[in-house]
């Protein structure tokens, strides 16, 4: 199913399991995977995405980042973002974190970076 292009971001509801502060999901798509459609959205959880094999872009705060194998993307709570992935095989681990946990971590010296979205390629 393809989603239509949206002119404005939408809120994607994300529910963590009752009592959970973190949810982890591994996603694997084969060579038949089509390029992703634009889906600018936001939600109340923070997201940390650990990519395996992937090609595409990560957009947030009016900035675009190139995604390649082993890229890491972080999005704080309520920040608009989009992942535009090229067709073909790809995989990633999606870690969704309760907003209050990320806010607490961002107050720890050395972890202030968690206040802003970022993308890195280690």
């Amino acid at each position: 199913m393809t989603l239509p292009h949206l002119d404005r971001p939408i809120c994607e509801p994300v529910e963590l399991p009752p009592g959970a502060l973190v949810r982890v999901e591994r996603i694997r798509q084969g060579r038949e995977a089509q390029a992703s459609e634009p889906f600018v959205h936001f939600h109340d959880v923070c997201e940390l995405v650990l990519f395996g094999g992937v090609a595409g872009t990560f957009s947030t705060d009016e900035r675009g980042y190139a995604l390649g194998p082993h890229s890491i993307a972080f999005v704080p709570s309520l920040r608009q973002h989009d992942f535009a992935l090229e067709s073909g095989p790809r995989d990633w681990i999606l870690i969704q974190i309760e907003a209050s946990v990320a806010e607490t971590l961002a107050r720890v010296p050395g972890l202030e970076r968690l206040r802003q979205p970022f993308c890195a390629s280690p």
Side-chain angles (χ1 to χ4, degrees):
M1 177 174 120
T2 58
L3 298 172
H5 173 73
L6 302 171
D7 292 329
R8 62 181 187 271
I10 65 165
C11 180
E12 177 187 27
V14 174
E15 285 189 40
L16 298 178
L21 299 176
V22 176
R23 178 177 158 238
V24 179
E25 180 180 1
R26 179 162 195 140
I27 295 99
R28 292 182 179 161
Q29 299 175 338
R31 66 179 155 230
E32 72 286 347
Q34 299 296 312
S36 62
E37 297 289 326
F39 183 62
V40 180
H41 65 285
F42 61 96
H43 30 69
D44 58 347
V45 298
C46 301
E47 285 186 340
L48 177 64
V49 185
L50 309 173
F51 289 99
V54 71
T57 58
F58 163 52
S59 301
T60 183
D61 283 354
E62 298 181 13
R63 183 170 178 190
Y65 300 91
L67 292 175
H70 310 294
S71 292
I72 298 170
F74 177 76
V75 185
S77 174
L78 302 176
R79 293 293 180 94
Q80 298 176 18
H81 61 283
D82 186 20
F83 296 97
L85 304 179
E86 295 178 9
S87 62
R90 52 197 183 214
D91 66 289
W92 63 93
I93 297 172
L94 173 64
I95 304 168
Q96 295 176 316
I97 307 161
E98 171 64 41
S100 63
V101 171
E103 289 167 9
T104 299
L105 288 172
R107 289 193 291 268
V108 173
L111 296 179
E112 300 88 355
R113 188 70 178 103
L114 296 177
R115 294 182 187 135
Q116 302 296 322
F118 66 83
C119 187
S121 295

